[in-house]
Amino acid sequence: EVIHEWTKLYRQRLFNKDYNQVESVIEYLKKKPSGKRAQMSIWNQQIDLYGNIGPCLQVIWLQIMNGKLEMHVHMRASDCYGKLLMNMNEFIALQDFIAKRLNIQCGSYIQFTDSLHFNSGDKSVVDKLVNEI
């Protein structure tokens, strides 16, 4: 298990003991399987606009379609070399967790990323990988 500051932030904001967004969405979809309001939001304008960590994850939207749990993830940015695949695995695991709680299968996973980039410190490694293609 890899833990970084963003993972801790995502977990805290999704599973907050005062208001657990994951549990809330699960209960909503149990009561209203055709509902279109099942979303979890990470961004906190008062903290994140100028904070040390600006979470890349913005919104997770879920809907039951054809009896399966579809999940859309909206990222404001993603490090395609260092974190993209790790984040996708974390989010797919979350989709699986929620689907199991709803007693249904996972459907499509769709991720939107506004800025896909790599960090300048990884440039030599990324250049080497590109040259090997």
Side-chain angles (χ1 to χ4, degrees), residues 6 12 14 18 24 26 30-31 38 40 46 49-50 55 61 64 67 73 83-84 88 90 96-98 107 122 130 132:
W6 289 275
Q12 191 276 327
L14 291 172
D18 295 326
S24 179
I26 291 168
K30 283 180 179 178
K31 292 176 185 170
M40 298 174 280
Q46 294 175 319
L49 193 59
Y50 294 104
W61 176 86
I64 298 173
V73 172
K83 294 192 178 62
L84 176 66
M88 290 174 76
E90 290 171 333
D96 184 61
F97 171 80
I98 294 170
D122 295 326
V130 170
E132 291 176 3

PDB file of all heavy atoms in Angstrom, residues 6 12 14 18 24 26 30-31 38 40 46 49-50 55 61 64 67 73 83-84 88 90 96-98 107 122 130 132:
ATOM      1  N   TRP A   6      -1.735  13.155  -0.727  1.00  0.00           N
ATOM      2  CA  TRP A   6      -3.023  13.266  -1.414  1.00  0.00           C
ATOM      3  C   TRP A   6      -3.937  12.110  -1.015  1.00  0.00           C
ATOM      4  O   TRP A   6      -5.120  12.298  -0.801  1.00  0.00           O
ATOM      5  CB  TRP A   6      -2.830  13.303  -2.932  1.00  0.00           C
ATOM      6  CG  TRP A   6      -2.234  14.579  -3.382  1.00  0.00           C
ATOM      7  CD1 TRP A   6      -2.907  15.746  -3.662  1.00  0.00           C
ATOM      8  CD2 TRP A   6      -0.859  14.872  -3.571  1.00  0.00           C
ATOM      9  NE1 TRP A   6      -2.020  16.734  -4.022  1.00  0.00           N
ATOM     10  CE2 TRP A   6      -0.744  16.220  -3.981  1.00  0.00           C
ATOM     11  CE3 TRP A   6       0.314  14.136  -3.447  1.00  0.00           C
ATOM     12  CZ2 TRP A   6       0.462  16.824  -4.257  1.00  0.00           C
ATOM     13  CZ3 TRP A   6       1.518  14.742  -3.724  1.00  0.00           C
ATOM     14  CH2 TRP A   6       1.578  16.060  -4.118  1.00  0.00           C
ATOM     15  N   GLN A  12      -9.450  11.225   4.116  1.00  0.00           N
ATOM     16  CA  GLN A  12     -10.048  12.025   5.184  1.00  0.00           C
ATOM     17  C   GLN A  12     -11.318  12.703   4.691  1.00  0.00           C
ATOM     18  O   GLN A  12     -12.326  12.719   5.384  1.00  0.00           O
ATOM     19  CB  GLN A  12      -9.030  13.054   5.689  1.00  0.00           C
ATOM     20  CG  GLN A  12      -9.445  13.768   6.962  1.00  0.00           C
ATOM     21  CD  GLN A  12     -10.367  14.959   6.731  1.00  0.00           C
ATOM     22  OE1 GLN A  12     -10.280  15.647   5.729  1.00  0.00           O
ATOM     23  NE2 GLN A  12     -11.266  15.172   7.665  1.00  0.00           N
ATOM     24  N   LEU A  14     -13.254  11.857   2.079  1.00  0.00           N
ATOM     25  CA  LEU A  14     -14.291  10.914   1.646  1.00  0.00           C
ATOM     26  C   LEU A  14     -14.898  10.152   2.817  1.00  0.00           C
ATOM     27  O   LEU A  14     -16.090   9.883   2.834  1.00  0.00           O
ATOM     28  CB  LEU A  14     -13.729   9.919   0.625  1.00  0.00           C
ATOM     29  CG  LEU A  14     -13.374  10.483  -0.735  1.00  0.00           C
ATOM     30  CD1 LEU A  14     -12.659   9.422  -1.571  1.00  0.00           C
ATOM     31  CD2 LEU A  14     -14.613  10.983  -1.465  1.00  0.00           C
ATOM     32  N   ASP A  18     -17.262  12.881  10.722  1.00  0.00           N
ATOM     33  CA  ASP A  18     -18.400  13.777  10.913  1.00  0.00           C
ATOM     34  C   ASP A  18     -19.400  13.692   9.764  1.00  0.00           C
ATOM     35  O   ASP A  18     -20.605  13.814   9.980  1.00  0.00           O
ATOM     36  CB  ASP A  18     -17.918  15.219  11.075  1.00  0.00           C
ATOM     37  CG  ASP A  18     -17.101  15.416  12.335  1.00  0.00           C
ATOM     38  OD1 ASP A  18     -17.402  14.750  13.359  1.00  0.00           O
ATOM     39  OD2 ASP A  18     -16.147  16.211  12.294  1.00  0.00           O
ATOM     40  N   SER A  24     -22.714   8.027   2.723  1.00  0.00           N
ATOM     41  CA  SER A  24     -23.862   8.811   2.288  1.00  0.00           C
ATOM     42  C   SER A  24     -24.298   8.433   0.872  1.00  0.00           C
ATOM     43  O   SER A  24     -25.491   8.265   0.594  1.00  0.00           O
ATOM     44  CB  SER A  24     -23.525  10.299   2.367  1.00  0.00           C
ATOM     45  OG  SER A  24     -24.608  11.081   1.934  1.00  0.00           O
ATOM     46  N   ILE A  26     -23.662   5.581  -0.662  1.00  0.00           N
ATOM     47  CA  ILE A  26     -24.168   4.202  -0.632  1.00  0.00           C
ATOM     48  C   ILE A  26     -25.626   4.196  -0.184  1.00  0.00           C
ATOM     49  O   ILE A  26     -26.481   3.562  -0.817  1.00  0.00           O
ATOM     50  CB  ILE A  26     -23.295   3.317   0.287  1.00  0.00           C
ATOM     51  CG1 ILE A  26     -21.917   3.105  -0.350  1.00  0.00           C
ATOM     52  CG2 ILE A  26     -23.985   1.979   0.572  1.00  0.00           C
ATOM     53  CD1 ILE A  26     -20.876   2.497   0.582  1.00  0.00           C
ATOM     54  N   LYS A  30     -28.928   3.100  -2.383  1.00  0.00           N
ATOM     55  CA  LYS A  30     -29.819   2.037  -1.896  1.00  0.00           C
ATOM     56  C   LYS A  30     -31.268   2.511  -1.930  1.00  0.00           C
ATOM     57  O   LYS A  30     -32.165   1.762  -2.305  1.00  0.00           O
ATOM     58  CB  LYS A  30     -29.452   1.632  -0.462  1.00  0.00           C
ATOM     59  CG  LYS A  30     -28.237   0.751  -0.369  1.00  0.00           C
ATOM     60  CD  LYS A  30     -27.948   0.403   1.092  1.00  0.00           C
ATOM     61  CE  LYS A  30     -26.753  -0.506   1.217  1.00  0.00           C
ATOM     62  NZ  LYS A  30     -26.456  -0.811   2.632  1.00  0.00           N
ATOM     63  N   LYS A  31     -31.497   3.769  -1.530  1.00  0.00           N
ATOM     64  CA  LYS A  31     -32.845   4.324  -1.495  1.00  0.00           C
ATOM     65  C   LYS A  31     -33.343   4.740  -2.869  1.00  0.00           C
ATOM     66  O   LYS A  31     -34.539   4.695  -3.143  1.00  0.00           O
ATOM     67  CB  LYS A  31     -32.897   5.531  -0.549  1.00  0.00           C
ATOM     68  CG  LYS A  31     -32.699   5.177   0.897  1.00  0.00           C
ATOM     69  CD  LYS A  31     -32.669   6.412   1.778  1.00  0.00           C
ATOM     70  CE  LYS A  31     -32.352   6.025   3.215  1.00  0.00           C
ATOM     71  NZ  LYS A  31     -32.090   7.179   4.062  1.00  0.00           N
ATOM     72  N   ALA A  38     -25.587  11.102  -6.836  1.00  0.00           N
ATOM     73  CA  ALA A  38     -24.576  10.385  -6.058  1.00  0.00           C
ATOM     74  C   ALA A  38     -23.185  10.864  -6.466  1.00  0.00           C
ATOM     75  O   ALA A  38     -22.584  10.358  -7.404  1.00  0.00           O
ATOM     76  CB  ALA A  38     -24.706   8.877  -6.269  1.00  0.00           C
ATOM     77  N   MET A  40     -19.371  12.682  -4.835  1.00  0.00           N
ATOM     78  CA  MET A  40     -18.529  13.046  -3.700  1.00  0.00           C
ATOM     79  C   MET A  40     -17.558  14.114  -4.194  1.00  0.00           C
ATOM     80  O   MET A  40     -16.946  13.954  -5.249  1.00  0.00           O
ATOM     81  CB  MET A  40     -17.768  11.825  -3.193  1.00  0.00           C
ATOM     82  CG  MET A  40     -18.702  10.735  -2.703  1.00  0.00           C
ATOM     83  SD  MET A  40     -17.840   9.206  -2.267  1.00  0.00           S
ATOM     84  CE  MET A  40     -17.602   8.472  -3.883  1.00  0.00           C
ATOM     85  N   GLN A  46     -11.826  27.102   0.502  1.00  0.00           N
ATOM     86  CA  GLN A  46     -11.198  27.883   1.564  1.00  0.00           C
ATOM     87  C   GLN A  46      -9.808  27.374   1.925  1.00  0.00           C
ATOM     88  O   GLN A  46      -8.962  28.137   2.361  1.00  0.00           O
ATOM     89  CB  GLN A  46     -12.081  27.893   2.812  1.00  0.00           C
ATOM     90  CG  GLN A  46     -13.379  28.632   2.595  1.00  0.00           C
ATOM     91  CD  GLN A  46     -14.279  28.531   3.808  1.00  0.00           C
ATOM     92  OE1 GLN A  46     -14.380  27.485   4.425  1.00  0.00           O
ATOM     93  NE2 GLN A  46     -14.916  29.637   4.152  1.00  0.00           N
ATOM     94  N   LEU A  49      -7.392  26.404  -2.483  1.00  0.00           N
ATOM     95  CA  LEU A  49      -6.994  27.359  -3.520  1.00  0.00           C
ATOM     96  C   LEU A  49      -5.544  27.798  -3.342  1.00  0.00           C
ATOM     97  O   LEU A  49      -4.792  27.887  -4.308  1.00  0.00           O
ATOM     98  CB  LEU A  49      -7.938  28.562  -3.525  1.00  0.00           C
ATOM     99  CG  LEU A  49      -7.834  29.486  -4.728  1.00  0.00           C
ATOM    100  CD1 LEU A  49      -8.106  28.728  -6.031  1.00  0.00           C
ATOM    101  CD2 LEU A  49      -8.810  30.638  -4.591  1.00  0.00           C
ATOM    102  N   TYR A  50      -5.121  28.033  -2.095  1.00  0.00           N
ATOM    103  CA  TYR A  50      -3.751  28.482  -1.831  1.00  0.00           C
ATOM    104  C   TYR A  50      -2.993  27.559  -0.877  1.00  0.00           C
ATOM    105  O   TYR A  50      -1.908  27.906  -0.429  1.00  0.00           O
ATOM    106  CB  TYR A  50      -3.751  29.907  -1.264  1.00  0.00           C
ATOM    107  CG  TYR A  50      -4.251  30.915  -2.269  1.00  0.00           C
ATOM    108  CD1 TYR A  50      -5.534  31.453  -2.153  1.00  0.00           C
ATOM    109  CD2 TYR A  50      -3.453  31.325  -3.328  1.00  0.00           C
ATOM    110  CE1 TYR A  50      -5.998  32.385  -3.078  1.00  0.00           C
ATOM    111  CE2 TYR A  50      -3.909  32.250  -4.260  1.00  0.00           C
ATOM    112  CZ  TYR A  50      -5.180  32.783  -4.122  1.00  0.00           C
ATOM    113  OH  TYR A  50      -5.638  33.682  -5.035  1.00  0.00           O
ATOM    114  N   PRO A  55      -5.658  19.215  -3.938  1.00  0.00           N
ATOM    115  CA  PRO A  55      -6.000  17.872  -4.391  1.00  0.00           C
ATOM    116  C   PRO A  55      -6.302  17.824  -5.889  1.00  0.00           C
ATOM    117  O   PRO A  55      -6.992  18.680  -6.424  1.00  0.00           O
ATOM    118  CB  PRO A  55      -7.233  17.497  -3.562  1.00  0.00           C
ATOM    119  CG  PRO A  55      -7.751  18.772  -3.010  1.00  0.00           C
ATOM    120  CD  PRO A  55      -6.615  19.725  -2.953  1.00  0.00           C
ATOM    121  N   TRP A  61     -18.435  10.785  -9.351  1.00  0.00           N
ATOM    122  CA  TRP A  61     -19.865  10.687  -9.647  1.00  0.00           C
ATOM    123  C   TRP A  61     -20.199   9.226  -9.884  1.00  0.00           C
ATOM    124  O   TRP A  61     -19.476   8.525 -10.596  1.00  0.00           O
ATOM    125  CB  TRP A  61     -20.182  11.525 -10.878  1.00  0.00           C
ATOM    126  CG  TRP A  61     -21.596  11.457 -11.359  1.00  0.00           C
ATOM    127  CD1 TRP A  61     -22.641  12.219 -10.913  1.00  0.00           C
ATOM    128  CD2 TRP A  61     -22.126  10.618 -12.390  1.00  0.00           C
ATOM    129  NE1 TRP A  61     -23.782  11.893 -11.607  1.00  0.00           N
ATOM    130  CE2 TRP A  61     -23.491  10.919 -12.521  1.00  0.00           C
ATOM    131  CE3 TRP A  61     -21.578   9.639 -13.207  1.00  0.00           C
ATOM    132  CZ2 TRP A  61     -24.325  10.270 -13.439  1.00  0.00           C
ATOM    133  CZ3 TRP A  61     -22.398   8.997 -14.123  1.00  0.00           C
ATOM    134  CH2 TRP A  61     -23.759   9.313 -14.234  1.00  0.00           C
ATOM    135  N   ILE A  64     -26.058   3.956 -11.006  1.00  0.00           N
ATOM    136  CA  ILE A  64     -26.338   2.571 -11.362  1.00  0.00           C
ATOM    137  C   ILE A  64     -26.955   2.585 -12.757  1.00  0.00           C
ATOM    138  O   ILE A  64     -27.993   3.211 -12.984  1.00  0.00           O
ATOM    139  CB  ILE A  64     -27.283   1.910 -10.346  1.00  0.00           C
ATOM    140  CG1 ILE A  64     -26.613   1.884  -8.965  1.00  0.00           C
ATOM    141  CG2 ILE A  64     -27.655   0.498 -10.805  1.00  0.00           C
ATOM    142  CD1 ILE A  64     -27.506   1.412  -7.836  1.00  0.00           C
ATOM    143  N   GLY A  67     -27.986  -2.063 -14.043  1.00  0.00           N
ATOM    144  CA  GLY A  67     -27.727  -2.931 -12.908  1.00  0.00           C
ATOM    145  C   GLY A  67     -26.292  -2.958 -12.431  1.00  0.00           C
ATOM    146  O   GLY A  67     -25.943  -3.764 -11.572  1.00  0.00           O
ATOM    147  N   VAL A  73     -14.662   9.786 -12.574  1.00  0.00           N
ATOM    148  CA  VAL A  73     -13.727  10.489 -11.709  1.00  0.00           C
ATOM    149  C   VAL A  73     -13.229  11.705 -12.470  1.00  0.00           C
ATOM    150  O   VAL A  73     -12.802  11.583 -13.616  1.00  0.00           O
ATOM    151  CB  VAL A  73     -12.544   9.573 -11.313  1.00  0.00           C
ATOM    152  CG1 VAL A  73     -11.472  10.352 -10.579  1.00  0.00           C
ATOM    153  CG2 VAL A  73     -13.038   8.406 -10.482  1.00  0.00           C
ATOM    154  N   LYS A  83       1.842   9.065 -10.606  1.00  0.00           N
ATOM    155  CA  LYS A  83       0.647   8.792  -9.798  1.00  0.00           C
ATOM    156  C   LYS A  83      -0.584   8.312 -10.571  1.00  0.00           C
ATOM    157  O   LYS A  83      -1.520   7.798  -9.966  1.00  0.00           O
ATOM    158  CB  LYS A  83       0.278  10.034  -8.991  1.00  0.00           C
ATOM    159  CG  LYS A  83       1.332  10.362  -7.949  1.00  0.00           C
ATOM    160  CD  LYS A  83       0.851  11.382  -6.969  1.00  0.00           C
ATOM    161  CE  LYS A  83       1.872  11.657  -5.911  1.00  0.00           C
ATOM    162  NZ  LYS A  83       3.126  12.193  -6.374  1.00  0.00           N
ATOM    163  N   LEU A  84      -0.638   8.478 -11.858  1.00  0.00           N
ATOM    164  CA  LEU A  84      -1.856   8.170 -12.616  1.00  0.00           C
ATOM    165  C   LEU A  84      -2.357   6.745 -12.382  1.00  0.00           C
ATOM    166  O   LEU A  84      -3.509   6.546 -11.993  1.00  0.00           O
ATOM    167  CB  LEU A  84      -1.636   8.414 -14.113  1.00  0.00           C
ATOM    168  CG  LEU A  84      -2.812   8.045 -15.025  1.00  0.00           C
ATOM    169  CD1 LEU A  84      -4.004   8.947 -14.747  1.00  0.00           C
ATOM    170  CD2 LEU A  84      -2.401   8.129 -16.486  1.00  0.00           C
ATOM    171  N   MET A  88      -5.685   5.555 -10.330  1.00  0.00           N
ATOM    172  CA  MET A  88      -6.742   4.790 -10.990  1.00  0.00           C
ATOM    173  C   MET A  88      -7.034   3.507 -10.216  1.00  0.00           C
ATOM    174  O   MET A  88      -8.202   3.137 -10.041  1.00  0.00           O
ATOM    175  CB  MET A  88      -6.363   4.490 -12.440  1.00  0.00           C
ATOM    176  CG  MET A  88      -6.377   5.738 -13.305  1.00  0.00           C
ATOM    177  SD  MET A  88      -5.767   5.451 -14.975  1.00  0.00           S
ATOM    178  CE  MET A  88      -7.174   4.607 -15.683  1.00  0.00           C
ATOM    179  N   GLU A  90      -6.585   3.044  -6.995  1.00  0.00           N
ATOM    180  CA  GLU A  90      -7.283   3.436  -5.764  1.00  0.00           C
ATOM    181  C   GLU A  90      -8.768   3.690  -6.037  1.00  0.00           C
ATOM    182  O   GLU A  90      -9.633   3.249  -5.276  1.00  0.00           O
ATOM    183  CB  GLU A  90      -6.669   4.713  -5.187  1.00  0.00           C
ATOM    184  CG  GLU A  90      -5.291   4.537  -4.611  1.00  0.00           C
ATOM    185  CD  GLU A  90      -4.616   5.853  -4.243  1.00  0.00           C
ATOM    186  OE1 GLU A  90      -4.913   6.903  -4.841  1.00  0.00           O
ATOM    187  OE2 GLU A  90      -3.783   5.815  -3.331  1.00  0.00           O
ATOM    188  N   ASP A  96     -15.245  -0.705  -6.554  1.00  0.00           N
ATOM    189  CA  ASP A  96     -15.520  -2.093  -6.193  1.00  0.00           C
ATOM    190  C   ASP A  96     -16.094  -2.183  -4.780  1.00  0.00           C
ATOM    191  O   ASP A  96     -17.053  -2.922  -4.534  1.00  0.00           O
ATOM    192  CB  ASP A  96     -14.235  -2.913  -6.312  1.00  0.00           C
ATOM    193  CG  ASP A  96     -14.458  -4.376  -6.046  1.00  0.00           C
ATOM    194  OD1 ASP A  96     -15.244  -5.013  -6.779  1.00  0.00           O
ATOM    195  OD2 ASP A  96     -13.860  -4.907  -5.080  1.00  0.00           O
ATOM    196  N   PHE A  97     -15.527  -1.421  -3.837  1.00  0.00           N
ATOM    197  CA  PHE A  97     -16.016  -1.396  -2.462  1.00  0.00           C
ATOM    198  C   PHE A  97     -17.485  -0.960  -2.416  1.00  0.00           C
ATOM    199  O   PHE A  97     -18.315  -1.591  -1.765  1.00  0.00           O
ATOM    200  CB  PHE A  97     -15.153  -0.440  -1.625  1.00  0.00           C
ATOM    201  CG  PHE A  97     -15.681  -0.175  -0.247  1.00  0.00           C
ATOM    202  CD1 PHE A  97     -15.488  -1.083   0.780  1.00  0.00           C
ATOM    203  CD2 PHE A  97     -16.376   1.004   0.029  1.00  0.00           C
ATOM    204  CE1 PHE A  97     -15.979  -0.832   2.056  1.00  0.00           C
ATOM    205  CE2 PHE A  97     -16.866   1.263   1.292  1.00  0.00           C
ATOM    206  CZ  PHE A  97     -16.670   0.336   2.308  1.00  0.00           C
ATOM    207  N   ILE A  98     -17.812   0.114  -3.138  1.00  0.00           N
ATOM    208  CA  ILE A  98     -19.182   0.634  -3.125  1.00  0.00           C
ATOM    209  C   ILE A  98     -20.120  -0.347  -3.815  1.00  0.00           C
ATOM    210  O   ILE A  98     -21.220  -0.616  -3.317  1.00  0.00           O
ATOM    211  CB  ILE A  98     -19.241   2.037  -3.767  1.00  0.00           C
ATOM    212  CG1 ILE A  98     -18.464   3.037  -2.899  1.00  0.00           C
ATOM    213  CG2 ILE A  98     -20.693   2.497  -3.964  1.00  0.00           C
ATOM    214  CD1 ILE A  98     -18.245   4.399  -3.547  1.00  0.00           C
ATOM    215  N   GLY A 107     -19.567  -1.401 -13.157  1.00  0.00           N
ATOM    216  CA  GLY A 107     -19.739  -1.118 -14.571  1.00  0.00           C
ATOM    217  C   GLY A 107     -18.538  -0.339 -15.060  1.00  0.00           C
ATOM    218  O   GLY A 107     -17.418  -0.536 -14.594  1.00  0.00           O
ATOM    219  N   ASP A 122      11.093  14.116 -13.176  1.00  0.00           N
ATOM    220  CA  ASP A 122      10.994  12.808 -13.832  1.00  0.00           C
ATOM    221  C   ASP A 122      11.309  12.876 -15.324  1.00  0.00           C
ATOM    222  O   ASP A 122      11.195  11.875 -16.021  1.00  0.00           O
ATOM    223  CB  ASP A 122       9.578  12.236 -13.646  1.00  0.00           C
ATOM    224  CG  ASP A 122       9.262  11.930 -12.197  1.00  0.00           C
ATOM    225  OD1 ASP A 122      10.185  11.525 -11.463  1.00  0.00           O
ATOM    226  OD2 ASP A 122       8.098  12.119 -11.801  1.00  0.00           O
ATOM    227  N   VAL A 130      10.085   7.133 -23.469  1.00  0.00           N
ATOM    228  CA  VAL A 130       9.563   7.521 -24.787  1.00  0.00           C
ATOM    229  C   VAL A 130      10.518   7.067 -25.884  1.00  0.00           C
ATOM    230  O   VAL A 130      10.083   6.567 -26.925  1.00  0.00           O
ATOM    231  CB  VAL A 130       9.330   9.057 -24.839  1.00  0.00           C
ATOM    232  CG1 VAL A 130       9.035   9.506 -26.263  1.00  0.00           C
ATOM    233  CG2 VAL A 130       8.196   9.438 -23.903  1.00  0.00           C
ATOM    234  N   GLU A 132      12.384   4.523 -25.903  1.00  0.00           N
ATOM    235  CA  GLU A 132      12.342   3.063 -26.028  1.00  0.00           C
ATOM    236  C   GLU A 132      11.134   2.578 -26.811  1.00  0.00           C
ATOM    237  O   GLU A 132      11.102   1.415 -27.208  1.00  0.00           O
ATOM    238  CB  GLU A 132      12.369   2.415 -24.638  1.00  0.00           C
ATOM    239  CG  GLU A 132      13.689   2.569 -23.931  1.00  0.00           C
ATOM    240  CD  GLU A 132      13.668   2.006 -22.517  1.00  0.00           C
ATOM    241  OE1 GLU A 132      12.642   1.445 -22.098  1.00  0.00           O
ATOM    242  OE2 GLU A 132      14.701   2.134 -21.820  1.00  0.00           O
TER     243      GLU A 132
END
